[in-house]
């Protein structure tokens, strides 16, 4: 059986790169699984990307708006308030707690501010 080239060779290259990196660091399998679990969700990756881009505290509503922009590829003026609200709710109830629990972000609920702790 002859292997045919896979159309997503970028994915293969990325996986091989990650595996090579894992070979050179001393990280437990549990830690690797937890890290990949955190990065498995696109919205969570976009949220982390937003926080890295800003590099300082921003309000969760502003973060939700920016995540919605990146998810849709549209200007914020072309995104419905319902869409941004849905992103906010998912960040607040799902993604933010996970990232706070592992120490990547901090959250001041009283001021609705998110701080990039380990992203700097």
């Amino acid at each position: 059986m002859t292997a045919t080239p896979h159309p997503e060779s970028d994915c293969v290259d990325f996986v091989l790169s990650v595996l090579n990196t894992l070979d050179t660091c001393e990280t437990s399998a549990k830690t690797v699984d937890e890290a990949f679990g955190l990065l498995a969700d696109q919205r969570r990756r976009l949220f982390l990307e937003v926080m890295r881009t800003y590099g300082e505290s921003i309000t969760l509503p502003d973060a939700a708006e920016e995540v919605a922009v990146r998810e849709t590829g549209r200007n914020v003026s072309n995104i419905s308030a319902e869409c941004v609200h849905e992103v906010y709710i998912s960040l607040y109830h799902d993604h933010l707690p996970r990232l706070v629990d592992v120490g990547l972000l901090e959250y001041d609920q009283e001021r609705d501010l998110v701080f990039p702790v380990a992203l700097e």
Side-chain angles (χ1 to χ4, degrees):
M1 181 174 193
T2 309
T4 50
H6 196 276
E8 295 193 36
S9 64
D10 287 346
C11 178
V12 172
D13 292 342
F14 180 73
V15 168
L16 294 174
S17 174
V18 168
L19 290 173
N20 287 333
T21 301
L22 291 174
D23 285 344
T24 63
C25 66
E26 294 185 23
T27 305
S28 72
K30 181 181 179 201
T31 300
V32 171
D33 290 346
E34 288 173 357
F36 285 140
L38 284 171
L39 296 173
D41 187 90
Q42 180 188 21
R43 183 168 286 168
R44 198 161 30 252
R45 289 191 311 273
L46 290 173
F47 186 24
L48 288 169
E49 183 181 294
V50 165
M51 295 308 299
R52 285 184 66 187
T53 299
Y54 280 81
E56 61 187 24
S57 64
I58 61 172
T59 66
L60 189 55
D62 286 346
E65 195 172 82
E66 186 61 31
V67 168
V69 165
R70 292 174 189 216
E71 278 184 350
T72 63
R74 299 183 193 150
N75 276 334
V76 70
S77 59
N78 295 327
I79 301 173
S80 70
E82 293 82 19
C83 175
V84 174
H85 180 71
E86 187 274 324
V87 170
Y88 175 89
I89 293 298
S90 76
L91 293 180
Y92 181 81
H93 287 290
D94 182 18
H95 307 298
L96 180 61
R98 292 173 194 250
L99 298 171
V100 168
D101 285 347
V102 298
L104 286 168
L105 301 176
E106 287 183 1
Y107 179 60
D108 179 343
Q109 187 171 9
E110 194 171 294
R111 298 185 311 170
D112 211 11
L113 279 176
V114 183
F115 302 85
V117 177
L119 302 177
E120 300 169 346

